[in-house]
Amino acid sequence: MCRLLGYLGSPLQLDQLLYKPEHSLVVQSYLPKEMKSGVVNADGLGIGWYHLTQDVEPFTYKNTLPIWNDTNLPELSRYVESDCVLAYVRSATPGQALHLGNCQPFRRERLLFIHNGFIQHFRQTLYRAIRDRLSDEIYQSIHGTTDSEHIFALFVNELQAAPDASIEKALSQTLIQLTQLAQSDQVSFSANVVISDGHSLVASRYALDTSAPSLYWLRDDPNYPNAVMIASEPLFAGNWHSFPTNSLLVVKEDLEVHINRL
């Protein structure tokens, strides 16, 4: 199971999220407290962020090293500032290759996407079923082999089919499709997802026939005012709220938090 982090709010340096908190994403990589499978998150990392003043596609930084062995990220994270950040450390599903094509965040134009969870026996079950639902263009855009990227492809396909749909509506429909496919094949899956377009965050905590991974949110902490954080595990002591199971959380630019049951 990976560890996820999403941030929307006042601009800050990336190291304020990745390194400074007492239970930062770096600490969670080697000393997670709430992982349901695996022991460490040593199979790579990925950071995505948006420019503060320019309306351009988001930036990503990825590495297949454990985050604690990445000598460039501490320097980069002291330099880069952003008001919207997605990050993760990876614990690869057994059998999934360790290469950059399998590292998140996945990006599509202004969208960033990270996922924590699994599809049971993915290559033998929903791999073909998901691909059969994709347009040719989105099918060809898949570069890696993970269930995470295929869930992202299904989400993008949903947006392409209904271009006026909101991110939250497209994610909800994606989870409905996954549930239908999984029930047909009698497999379990979990999908803790965080998506951003640079102006909002949309996150899910969802599972079918298994327990959902942990996921929390926090708003306007005294050390991080005017901000909302989403994390697999609390980064520090504070007023963190656990996501209800099978729910969707939406954070708009005004930082109001809305939770809907799925």
Side-chain angles (χ1 to χ4, degrees):
M1 289 292 178
C2 307
R3 301 287 84 181
L4 306 182
L5 173 62
Y7 175 89
L8 181 68
S10 298
L12 47 58
Q13 294 173 207
L14 298 189
D15 67 339
Q16 298 298 314
L17 297 172
L18 303 179
Y19 292 95
K20 298 296 186 181
E22 60 195 53
H23 194 56
S24 67
L25 202 62
V26 174
V27 175
Q28 291 181 37
S29 68
Y30 61 80
L31 198 63
K33 296 179 179 179
E34 300 189 44
M35 283 179 61
K36 296 183 178 297
S37 64
V39 178
V40 295
N41 297 279
D43 300 317
L45 64 108
I47 319 296
W49 68 93
Y50 292 81
H51 198 283
L52 283 175
T53 59
Q54 298 180 24
D55 187 18
V56 296
E57 291 187 4
F59 306 93
T60 62
Y61 175 85
K62 303 179 182 183
N63 203 330
T64 56
L65 289 172
I67 193 171
W68 65 78
N69 277 344
D70 189 317
T71 59
N72 293 315
L73 186 59
E75 299 300 317
L76 176 71
S77 66
R78 289 194 306 112
Y79 174 76
V80 173
E81 291 188 10
S82 181
D83 57 1
C84 185
V85 181
L86 268 61
Y88 99 126
V89 286
R90 185 185 183 205
S91 176
T93 302
Q96 293 289 355
L98 185 63
H99 62 71
L100 286 177
N102 284 341
C103 283
Q104 305 176 46
F106 300 116
R107 180 175 61 191
R108 172 85 174 195
E109 297 175 350
R110 282 195 57 84
L111 293 173
L112 289 174
F113 174 103
I114 50 178
H115 165 248
N116 174 30
F118 72 98
I119 296 175
Q120 184 184 23
H121 307 308
F122 172 59
R123 294 287 293 188
Q124 293 77 38
T125 57
L126 300 192
Y127 175 82
R128 179 65 178 269
I130 290 175
R131 286 184 166 239
D132 284 346
R133 293 198 171 201
L134 304 178
S135 70
D136 288 343
E137 187 265 329
I138 295 173
Y139 182 102
Q140 296 295 332
S141 72
I142 297 175
H143 299 295
T145 59
T146 63
D147 47 8
S148 300
E149 188 176 10
H150 284 73
I151 294 173
F152 177 56
L154 196 61
F155 166 77
V156 173
N157 197 77
E158 185 66 34
L159 278 179
Q160 188 181 72
D164 293 330
S166 63
I167 296 174
E168 53 265 35
K169 179 64 174 178
L171 179 55
S172 177
Q173 290 299 117
T174 300
L175 295 173
I176 289 171
Q177 288 189 63
L178 276 175
T179 299
Q180 293 170 344
L181 291 172
Q183 287 175 332
S184 177
D185 230 13
Q186 297 183 329
V187 299
S188 60
F189 77 92
S190 59
N192 282 13
V193 169
V194 185
I195 305 171
S196 184
D197 59 1
H199 304 292
S200 62
L201 293 177
V202 178
S204 65
R205 184 184 183 213
Y206 189 85
L208 175 70
D209 295 333
T210 187
S211 57
S214 60
L215 197 63
Y216 298 85
W217 67 274
L218 170 127
R219 180 185 172 188
D220 293 339
D221 183 84
N223 294 315
Y224 297 86
N226 302 314
V228 173
M229 293 187 190
I230 297 170
S232 295
E233 301 180 13
L235 304 179
F236 46 81
N239 190 28
W240 292 88
H241 307 277
S242 177
F243 273 58
T245 302
N246 293 355
S247 66
L248 195 72
L249 182 144
V250 180
V251 186
K252 297 294 189 182
E253 285 186 278
D254 60 7
L255 302 182
E256 288 296 322
V257 176
H258 302 277
I259 300 176
N260 302 309
R261 291 285 187 169
L262 291 168

